[in-house]
Amino acid sequence: GKVEATLEAAAATTSLAFLPDSNTLAAGGGDNKVKLWDIAQKKAVQELTGPALAVLAIAAGDDGKLVVA
C-alpha cells in the first residue's frame, strides 16, 4: 500500500480506535492525551486531556459521542 498521510504526535502513540463514523481516528499515547483526527482532512480536530498516565487503550461508544481511554 501507499502512505497517504502521517499523523504527527508529541509522544509515542500506543493506542488507536476508529469512531463509528469511520472518518475519525482517536489516537492516544505517552503524552497522556487523546487526539481525534479527521481522516479526510488529515488533521487533528480535537485534543482530549485527563488521564494521569499514558493512554494504553481507547474505546468509542456506538454513537461516537463517548471516547474512553
Side-chain angles (χ1 to χ4, degrees):
K2 178 181 160 190
V3 175
E4 292 291 329
T6 301
L7 307 177
E8 299 293 327
T13 300
T14 56
S15 55
L16 298 168
F18 275 101
L19 274 60
D21 67 5
S22 299
N23 189 52
T24 306
L25 177 68
D31 60 357
N32 307 349
K33 298 176 184 174
V34 174
K35 281 190 179 180
L36 301 180
W37 295 88
D38 183 306
I39 299 303
Q41 296 181 37
K42 300 176 184 166
K43 69 177 189 177
V45 293
Q46 191 171 4
E47 183 174 277
L48 310 171
T49 58
L53 302 171
V55 177
L56 301 178
I58 297 175
D62 289 340
D63 62 3
K65 294 181 181 181
L66 176 68
V67 175
V68 180

